[in-house]
């Protein structure tokens, strides 16, 4: 999600997904404050929590993290009565500068690249979904892009995936050529 979308989440913005019961109450996240078109109200969308695709990847850990945040950490804040999923020590809802400062502190403490920002997670999410085999249209809907071309800009597939994809395409082309050659004899 975008930074503003994350900041504006409330506790009521999650629901179970009947097709993915393993995520409990966190199967669907309703984004109410999506990026708006110029002069329009915020765009709403539903983001599905995704599990492993063919046994690889997925966000199945999200249930444990959100449950721990909501049940153990969030209640310790002075503004825990706020409907916001992310209250702060001083306000009903975490601020943008607080989000940026905290991420930068974690990034620096872990020795990660200075260019890592909130949008990096968004780009990484898109790339991982594509690499894990999710349908590009599904990925586009997940991130709230109107055009597929915007989503494709976010995608930075690894050289391993590129090699695998190329090899797979070449093998199917060779197989088809061999089948055609056998038929013509």
């Amino acid at each position: 999600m975008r930074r503003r979308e994350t900041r504006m989440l409330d506790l009521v913005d999650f629901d179970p997904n009947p097709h993915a019961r393993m995520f409990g109450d966190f199967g669907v996240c309703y984004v109410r404050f999506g990026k708006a078109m110029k002069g329009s109200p915020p765009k709403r969308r539903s983001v599905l929590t995704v599990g492993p695709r063919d046994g690889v990847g997925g966000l199945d850990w999200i249930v444990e993290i959100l449950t721990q945040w909501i049940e153990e950490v969030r209640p310790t804040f002075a503004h825990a009565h706020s409907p916001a999923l992310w209250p702060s020590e001083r306000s009903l809802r975490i601020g943008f500068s607080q989000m940026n400062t905290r991420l930068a502190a974690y990034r620096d403490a872990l020795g990660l690249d200075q260019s890592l920002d909130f949008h990096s997670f968004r780009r990484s999410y898109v790339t991982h979904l594509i690499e894990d085999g999710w349908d590009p249209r599904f990925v586009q809907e997940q991130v709230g892009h109107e055009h597929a071309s915007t989503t494709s800009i976010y995608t930075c597939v690894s050289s391993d995936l590129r090699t695998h994809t190329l090899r797979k395409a070449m093998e199917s082309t060779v197989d088809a050529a061999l089948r055609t050659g056998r038929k013509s004899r």
Side-chain angles (χ1 to χ4, degrees):
M1 289 193 293
R2 295 172 181 94
R3 193 175 54 153
R4 181 171 191 266
E5 294 169 348
T6 302
R7 178 183 178 266
M8 296 304 292
L9 284 177
D10 285 343
L11 291 169
V12 297
D13 290 334
F14 292 95
D15 261 335
N17 177 348
H19 302 289
R21 297 187 194 286
M22 70 279 232
F23 298 120
D25 292 335
F26 302 107
V28 181
C29 177
Y30 299 105
V31 176
R32 294 173 295 116
F33 291 90
K35 188 174 181 180
M37 302 278 278
K38 204 170 202 170
S40 297
K43 189 174 168 185
R44 293 173 170 250
R45 74 177 189 282
S46 300
V47 177
L48 301 178
T49 305
V50 295
R53 186 98 170 151
D54 301 325
V56 179
L59 298 176
D60 35 0
W61 49 266
I62 198 73
V63 174
E64 183 181 346
I65 300 297
L66 284 173
T67 300
Q68 183 180 16
W69 169 258
I70 291 168
E71 293 177 3
E72 298 174 29
V73 180
R74 191 180 173 284
T76 64
F77 286 84
H79 295 285
H81 63 281
S82 160
L85 180 63
W86 313 111
S88 77
E89 297 87 3
R90 298 183 196 115
S91 179
L92 298 178
R93 194 173 298 277
I94 193 170
F96 288 123
S97 62
Q98 200 175 9
M99 292 171 74
N100 292 337
T101 302
R102 185 59 57 118
L103 177 64
Y106 290 141
R107 176 196 64 210
D108 296 345
L110 293 169
L112 300 173
D113 192 294
Q114 292 287 314
S115 64
L116 181 69
D117 61 7
F118 269 92
H119 221 71
S120 300
F121 294 116
R122 192 169 158 80
R123 289 186 293 271
S124 177
Y125 176 69
V126 168
T127 298
H128 286 294
L129 288 180
I130 294 295
E131 286 188 350
D132 288 346
W134 291 92
D135 183 87
R137 178 67 179 150
F138 172 79
V139 176
Q140 179 184 342
E141 290 291 323
Q142 282 284 94
V143 294
H145 287 157
E146 187 172 348
H147 304 286
S149 58
T150 306
T151 308
S152 70
I153 292 169
Y154 280 56
T155 310
C156 304
V157 296
S158 68
S159 60
D160 286 347
L161 180 67
R162 286 190 299 243
T163 302
H164 173 76
T165 304
L166 178 61
R167 195 171 274 146
K168 189 175 174 183
M170 288 173 58
E171 286 172 3
S172 66
T173 302
V174 169
D175 288 345
L178 289 173
R179 279 193 306 274
T180 304
R182 284 185 207 127
K183 289 179 186 176
S184 62
R185 289 183 196 172

